[in-house]
């Protein structure tokens, strides 16, 4: 729940709140990543036309439950602070997601889930919501007909998701939970005319926020759904200002939109991967989602080593060196680590003039 005086910060970055870790990194010490994304399963109950990972060949795999649980404990002990369950598939399809969420919270990790929400049943709401810092539902249309076409699912799933979110909001209020319940729509040509309809529906069911997120083309993705953001920027800004209030924030990610339009990467090296990493359904630990099924960039595998061992390994050092030589010119525009990288690049290379004049 977003309390009075708090904000949902989705643009920019939050690394300035982790000064000890940043200081150690500047001194060339190895620090545990602050935030991990784990894909516990690479199966999905939807076939979204915008899926950035539509090119992947591996399907039907999932992390062994014991490997995952033991790894979560090791991550927490090592100093990892937060986990988001998402990845190549739908995390709620994973048969052990309830136990994984419960154990991760027990170990002291902050936990979040990004989901299409169809499988967020009453049982999962009651057993999982109390352990979640936040949950974000992907709803990429304002009508059931368009939703069905975009998500590659039955039309009934649209109302099911809406009902699940409403049930989660009601359960949260009744039990005085602190979990934030949000929604997101990816802005593509197929849904841009239904944004206002979706905003109205999300406000009606009581979610804390709706993010209007610009589509960013994954370099390896098959789909091509880039939207002319310049054409719609003014309208999206107006809608966010018109409908946003204290109960439900409507957040148009205009900063990310501008970054995609500009396509400008001002740094030569990705420093953000020192504070973030990704784990796929096969247990491979990698820098980010550009490196699915590219084994030469894997740091290691959870079936062979603990997470801490992988993070401190010579293999990871070699991958980081390879990435340094590779540079960032072919990185995804609008990457989640872009703002982090600008901040770290400025710190490390002192690119901001007169830094001591605060």
């Amino acid at each position: 729940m977003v309390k009075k005086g708090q904000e949902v910060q989705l643009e920019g970055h939050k690394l300035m709140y982790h000064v000890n870790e940043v200081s150690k990194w500047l001194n060339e010490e190895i620090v545990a990543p602050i935030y991990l994304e784990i894909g516990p399963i690479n199966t999905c109950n939807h076939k979204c036309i915008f899926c950035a990972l539509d090119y992947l060949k591996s399907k039907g795999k999932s992390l062994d439950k014991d490997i995952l649980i033991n790894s979560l404990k090791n991550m927490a002990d090592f100093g990892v602070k937060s986990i988001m369950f998402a990845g190549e598939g739908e995390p709620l399809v994973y048969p052990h997601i309830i136990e994984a969420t419960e154990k991760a919270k027990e170990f002291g990790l902050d936990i979040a889930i990004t989901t299409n929400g169809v499988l967020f049943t009453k049982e999962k709401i009651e057993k999982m919501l109390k352990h979640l810092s936040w949950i974000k539902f992907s709803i990429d249309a304002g009508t059931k007909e368009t939703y069905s076409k975009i998500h590659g699912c039955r039309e009934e799933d649209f109302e099911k998701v809406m009902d699940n979110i409403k049930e989660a909001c009601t359960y949260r209020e009744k039990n005085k939970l602190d979990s934030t319940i949000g929604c997101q729509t990816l802005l593509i040509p197929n849904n841009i005319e239904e944004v206002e309809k979706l905003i109205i529906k999300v406000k009606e069911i009581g979610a804390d926020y709706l993010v209007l997120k610009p589509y960013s083309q994954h370099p390896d993705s098959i789909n091509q759904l880039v939207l002319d953001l310049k054409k719609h920027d003014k309208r999206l800004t107006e809608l966010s200002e018109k409908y946003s209030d204290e109960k439900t924030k409507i957040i148009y990610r205009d900063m990310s939109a501008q970054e995609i339009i500009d396509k400008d990467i001002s740094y030569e090296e990705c420093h953000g991967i020192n504070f973030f990493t990704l784990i796929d359904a096969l247990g491979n630990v990698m820098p980010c989602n550009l490196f699915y099924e590219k084994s030469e960039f894997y740091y290691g595998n959870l079936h062979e080593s603990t997470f801490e061992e992988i993070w401190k390994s010579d293999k990871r050092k070699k991958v980081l060196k390879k990435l340094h030589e590779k540079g960032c010119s072919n990185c995804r525009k609008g990457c989640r680590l872009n703002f982090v990288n600008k901040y770290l690049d400025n710190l490390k290379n002192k690119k901001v003039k007169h830094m001591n004049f605060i």
Side-chain angles (χ1 to χ4, degrees), residues 25-203:
W25 171 76
L26 285 170
N27 289 320
E28 300 185 351
E29 296 180 40
I30 295 177
V31 293
I34 293 166
Y35 168 48
L36 269 70
E37 179 179 329
I38 299 178
I41 193 166
N42 58 21
T43 299
C44 192
N45 55 329
H46 283 185
K47 295 181 179 179
C48 299
I49 63 172
F50 57 77
C51 181
L53 305 178
D54 52 8
Y55 65 93
L56 295 182
K57 296 179 179 62
S58 176
K59 299 290 181 184
K61 305 293 183 180
S62 64
L63 277 169
D64 175 82
K65 184 187 77 170
D66 291 336
I67 292 289
L68 176 56
I69 300 299
N70 290 336
S71 295
L72 291 170
K73 179 67 166 66
N74 178 254
M75 291 167 187
D77 291 344
F78 180 39
V80 173
K81 291 180 169 55
S82 65
I83 304 286
M84 180 178 74
F85 289 116
E88 318 101 284
E90 165 53 51
L92 295 184
V93 172
Y94 185 59
H96 312 295
I97 191 64
I98 292 175
E99 184 176 354
T101 303
E102 180 181 25
K103 286 294 184 181
K105 189 64 178 179
E106 177 185 317
F107 299 149
L109 294 161
D110 290 336
I111 305 300
I113 290 182
T114 294
T115 172
N116 61 46
V118 175
L119 300 177
F120 202 50
T121 59
K122 190 173 187 292
E123 179 193 14
K124 287 189 174 73
I125 291 171
E126 292 177 356
K127 292 185 176 181
M128 293 175 66
L129 193 59
K130 59 188 174 184
H131 301 304
L132 299 178
S133 296
W134 55 264
I135 182 167
K136 184 168 60 182
F137 297 86
S138 296
I139 315 172
D140 301 283
T143 64
K144 63 181 182 180
E145 294 83 6
T146 304
Y147 179 87
S148 174
K149 292 175 183 177
I150 291 175
H151 275 247
C153 65
R154 301 172 303 166
E155 291 185 358
E156 303 90 80
D157 280 2
F158 181 73
E159 292 303 329
K160 187 162 189 156
V161 172
M162 292 297 180
D163 288 343
N164 289 347
I165 299 171
K166 187 174 182 179
E167 175 72 21
C169 290
T170 300
Y171 183 84
R172 179 187 63 179
E173 301 305 320
K174 182 179 179 181
N175 292 276
K176 296 181 173 56
L177 303 181
D178 198 29
S179 307
T180 299
I181 299 173
C183 303
Q184 174 178 287
T185 188
L186 195 65
L187 301 169
I188 57 176
N190 312 58
N191 65 13
I192 192 64
E193 300 303 326
E194 295 191 0
V195 171
E196 187 167 15
K197 289 181 180 179
L198 178 60
I199 289 173
I200 293 170
K201 287 182 179 292
V202 168
K203 287 177 66 67

Side-chain angles (χ1 to χ4, degrees), residues 205-216:
I205 59 178
D208 294 313
Y209 66 83
L210 170 65
V211 178
L212 311 179
K213 181 181 178 181
Y215 169 91
S216 170

Side-chain angles (χ1 to χ4, degrees), residues 226-288:
V226 177
L227 184 70
D228 185 352
L229 293 168
K230 291 181 180 178
K231 180 180 177 182
H232 300 282
D233 185 78
K234 181 180 178 183
R235 175 62 174 157
L236 293 166
T237 300
E238 290 173 347
L239 287 174
S240 64
E241 292 174 350
K242 176 181 178 181
Y243 286 103
S244 189
D245 55 33
E246 284 299 316
K247 184 176 181 182
T248 304
K249 303 292 183 184
I250 310 301
I251 305 167
Y252 170 44
R253 295 190 61 175
D254 54 344
M255 289 172 64
S256 294
Q258 193 58 51
E259 301 242 329
I260 294 171
I261 292 170
D262 292 342
K263 298 182 178 180
D264 176 40
I265 295 178
S266 60
Y267 41 86
E268 297 179 356
E269 182 177 358
C270 181
H271 301 301
I273 54 175
N274 291 282
F275 301 94
F276 166 83
T277 199
L278 186 151
I279 299 171
D280 69 12
L282 299 174
N284 296 309
V285 184
M286 66 193 77
C288 71

